[in-house]
Amino acid sequence: MVPRLAEGLPGVRDWWVNYPYACLEQKSSKAIGLRDAAMWKDTMDRLPTYLDGDGLANYFPPQPGSSNTGSDTLTAYLLQASFEMKKLDPQFALPAASLDRMATALGKFVDGKIERKFWSPRADLDVRKIAAISALALHGKAQPRMLTSVNIAPNDWPTQAVVDWLSILQNMKDVPNRTKLMEEANQILRARLSYQGTKVLFANENNDYWWWLMQNGDTTLARFMLVIMGDPAWKDDLPRLASSFIGRQKSGAWSTTTANLWGAMALERFSRTYESEPVTGTTEASMGGK
C-alpha cells in the first residue's frame, strides 16, 4: 500500500532503467521518466545538433545535405513534455536558445512558410498543426491568427487533437468565442469517454491509434488528465480516470516511451493536486457477522 498513486509506479521506473534505445525523443523521455536532471542536461546540451536548418528537431542528428528533415511532431512533443515536466521540477526546462529556434520553426510550419511531408496512412496536416499550436500556446508563443490555417472541426478530429484544442483554448485567452468553444470541446471529450466498470477509455480509441504521430489511447488519456487537472468541471471524474489509467498498464508499465512519460507526469500532478492531504480514518470490514 502506498500513500499516493504516483508513488506506486516502480514498474515504470524499471521500464525506463532497462530501456535501451537512444534517439532524441527516447533520450529526452528517459531523462524525464527517471527524473534524471544530469541526463536531461546532457541531452539538452546536444539538442542544437539535432535541429535542422529551419529549427525543427530530428530524431537523430541530420547528416550533411539533409538539413530540412526535422519533424514538427517531435518538436511539438519536446515543447509540450518539457513544459509539463518543468511544473514538477524547474531543472527540466528547455534551453532558451533552442526553445526559441524550435518555436519559430513551429510557427513557420503552422503558417505554411515551411513544409514537412512525411508518409502517413491518413491525412494528418490539421492534426499536426493543432499539436504545434498547442505546444506554442503553452509557452505563450501562439497567436489566434494561426488558427486560420486549420479547418476547425473538433467533432471530426481524433481525440488527441481535441485534447490539444482544449489546451489551446485554455492558454490563448484572446481566441474569439473562446468560452463557447471550450464548452464544445469539453462536451465532445465527455461524450467520447466510455465508463465500463472500473475501466475508462475513449469510445473511438481504435481510430485514434496514430502511431506515426506517437499517439495512442494511453498517451491521449494521460494528456487529457494533464489538461483538465484542476478544472472544477472534471474534479469528480479525475480519481476514476487516474485509477483506470493505472489499470491500463501491463507488467507495471505502459507500452511506449510517450505513454510512460505522460502517464507518470499525469499521476504525479494528480497526487500533488488531489492527494496533498494525508489519508486519515479507520476502515472496517466484516463478513458473516465477523
Side-chain angles (χ1 to χ4, degrees):
M1 184 174 292
V2 293
R4 302 194 314 162
L5 286 177
E7 294 177 19
L9 302 174
V12 173
R13 182 172 181 82
D14 291 345
W15 191 91
W16 283 118
V17 168
N18 295 311
Y19 190 76
Y21 305 109
C23 75
L24 177 59
E25 178 268 311
Q26 292 158 339
K27 289 198 295 185
S28 56
S29 297
K30 185 172 184 176
I32 291 176
L34 291 173
R35 305 298 192 262
D36 189 330
M39 184 187 298
W40 175 260
K41 183 179 184 305
D42 179 68
T43 304
M44 292 300 102
D45 287 344
R46 300 170 189 266
L47 180 57
T49 68
Y50 286 84
L51 304 184
D52 70 10
D54 291 317
L56 292 176
N58 287 270
Y59 288 88
F60 296 95
Q63 299 299 314
S66 59
S67 61
N68 296 318
T69 57
S71 165
D72 53 276
T73 297
L74 174 59
T75 306
Y77 171 77
L78 292 172
L79 265 64
Q80 290 171 327
S82 173
F83 180 86
E84 291 294 346
M85 185 58 205
K86 191 173 66 170
K87 292 180 182 178
L88 301 172
D89 187 338
Q91 295 181 91
F92 289 86
L94 284 167
S98 293
L99 171 60
D100 287 344
R101 282 193 67 195
M102 291 190 291
T104 298
L106 281 181
K108 289 181 178 180
F109 165 73
V110 171
D111 290 337
K113 295 178 180 178
I114 61 175
E115 293 185 350
R116 290 296 182 271
K117 295 182 179 179
F118 304 110
W119 177 89
S120 62
R122 64 183 75 179
D124 63 3
L125 184 58
D126 278 353
V127 172
R128 289 161 56 197
K129 285 189 175 184
I130 285 292
I133 297 170
S134 173
L136 291 169
L138 291 173
H139 293 271
K141 297 178 180 293
Q143 300 174 12
R145 64 164 180 77
M146 292 178 172
L147 297 174
T148 62
S149 70
V150 179
N151 179 30
I152 304 298
N155 273 310
D156 300 329
W157 291 341
T159 305
Q160 63 264 23
V162 185
V163 173
D164 277 327
W165 176 231
L166 180 59
S167 178
I168 289 169
L169 296 171
Q170 287 178 344
N171 290 286
M172 279 208 297
K173 310 296 186 185
D174 48 355
V175 173
N177 299 316
R178 174 174 170 266
T179 300
K180 182 175 182 293
L181 292 172
M182 287 183 69
E183 291 174 356
E184 291 176 350
N186 277 299
Q187 289 170 1
I188 292 169
L189 290 165
R190 194 172 288 280
R192 291 189 186 185
L193 279 175
S194 175
Y195 293 90
Q196 302 173 7
T198 59
K199 187 176 182 180
V200 182
L201 47 80
F202 287 106
N204 51 351
E205 281 194 17
N206 289 336
N207 293 326
D208 288 346
Y209 180 37
W210 291 44
W211 51 267
W212 66 99
L213 300 184
M214 303 189 295
Q215 300 285 352
N216 60 26
D218 291 340
T219 60
T220 299
L221 184 54
R223 288 205 57 242
F224 173 58
M225 291 171 59
L226 285 165
V227 169
I228 63 172
M229 200 75 65
D231 184 342
W234 291 97
K235 181 178 179 180
D236 293 339
D237 297 87
L238 273 161
R240 193 172 181 184
L241 292 172
S243 61
S244 175
F245 184 68
I246 293 174
R248 298 169 71 110
Q249 291 180 335
K250 294 181 180 179
S251 302
W254 297 280
S255 60
T256 65
T257 55
T258 51
N260 281 292
L261 175 137
W262 291 121
M265 283 199 293
L267 292 175
E268 186 166 348
R269 281 277 309 282
F270 174 84
S271 290
R272 292 190 182 192
T273 304
Y274 298 106
E275 298 182 315
S276 58
E277 297 295 328
V279 177
T280 60
T282 302
T283 299
E284 294 184 1
S286 63
M287 181 178 291
K290 297 182 180 179

